[in-house]
Amino acid sequence: SQTIHQWPATLVQPVGSPLSLECTVEGTSNPNLYWYRQAAGRGLQLLFYSVGIGQISSEVPQNLSASRPQDRQFILSSKKLLLSDSGFYLCACSFASQETQYFGPGTRLLVL
Amino acid sequence: AQSVTQPDIHITVSEGASLELRCNYSYGATPYLFWYVQSPGQGLQLLLKYFSGDTLVQGIKGFEAEFKRSQSSFNLRKPSVHWSDAAEYFCAVGYSGGGADGLTFGKGTHLIIQP
């Protein structure tokens, strides 16, 4: 079965600094990958999804970008963080024949 | 577009009592339905899912959910809650062929367990 790793677990960054969050998947190949953001007291907002290397779809316009340099690696980035980027970022994966999504442990980002 | 409503933001239940968390969805065809649980500071764990067949589905940790097409509902139940069930619960909907478009999540229900 698949295992999703997210790094780092917690991050405190100043406004205007860059960001790089990493998600890697073990135990499977060619997964669909997702980045969600969960703000305090809210549900999950889908930010990006990817069906393959170099293929990224964005769900909402924002200050963030995503990349998929390898089959099992998904990176969330920003050139300049905003206060509103604070939140809990979750990576998830699914497979072409299934709609079930499996989630990583998350990264808590605090922008000060 | 599909949507998911979890009408209860918070629910408080005594330990040992029964539990029902409500979920209503809006989608034209038969959806795929999911319940996830999230402990504080953690990722989401899949409790159960409904794709087709028997409308009463069993999940992990003693949870079950019933799909009622006529009510567009997929309520989560547990006959006797434990203190460890305190968490955030999310209902989600997908659909056949939705694939990488992902799931649509409700805003969650925060479950509090009283001793």
Side-chain angles (χ1 to χ4, degrees), chain B residues 50-84:
Chain B
Y50 171 80
F51 283 4
S52 64
D54 192 344
T55 56
L56 183 63
V57 294
Q58 302 297 321
I60 62 171
K61 304 185 179 186
F63 285 93
E64 65 178 27
E66 186 172 12
F67 170 57
K68 292 185 177 181
R69 184 191 304 274
S70 61
Q71 299 177 21
S72 297
S73 68
F74 189 56
N75 294 348
L76 182 71
R77 301 194 295 247
K78 187 170 184 178
S80 176
V81 297
H82 185 262
W83 64 266
S84 60

Side-chain angles (χ1 to χ4, degrees), chain A residues 38 49 51 88 99-101 104, chain B residues 32 36 38 42-43 90 100-101:
Chain A
Q38 187 178 26
Y49 67 88
V51 300
F88 193 51
E99 281 68 23
T100 305
Q101 292 187 17
Chain B
Y32 294 165
Y36 288 86
Q38 184 182 33
Q42 303 296 315
F90 292 94
D101 285 349

Side-chain angles (χ1 to χ4, degrees), chain B:
Chain B
Q2 64 266 30
S3 65
V4 178
T5 301
Q6 293 180 248
D8 303 306
I9 298 174
H10 301 278
I11 281 189
T12 301
V13 178
S14 298
E15 191 170 14
S18 64
L19 170 71
E20 183 169 32
L21 302 182
R22 296 183 290 165
C23 173
N24 293 96
Y25 66 91
S26 173
Y27 180 63
T30 299
Y32 294 165
L33 296 160
F34 307 83
W35 275 100
Y36 288 86
V37 60
Q38 184 182 33
S39 297
Q42 303 296 315
L44 275 68
Q45 182 183 22
L46 180 68
L47 284 176
L48 48 79
K49 58 188 177 183
Y50 171 80
F51 283 4
S52 64
D54 192 344
T55 56
L56 183 63
V57 294
Q58 302 297 321
I60 62 171
K61 304 185 179 186
F63 285 93
E64 65 178 27
E66 186 172 12
F67 170 57
K68 292 185 177 181
R69 184 191 304 274
S70 61
Q71 299 177 21
S72 297
S73 68
F74 189 56
N75 294 348
L76 182 71
R77 301 194 295 247
K78 187 170 184 178
S80 176
V81 297
H82 185 262
W83 64 266
S84 60
D85 293 324
E88 192 84 14
Y89 291 80
F90 292 94
C91 181
V93 62
Y95 57 96
S96 175
D101 285 349
L103 304 178
T104 299
F105 286 83
K107 294 190 181 301
T109 296
H110 184 58
L111 176 62
I112 300 167
I113 306 296
Q114 283 183 336

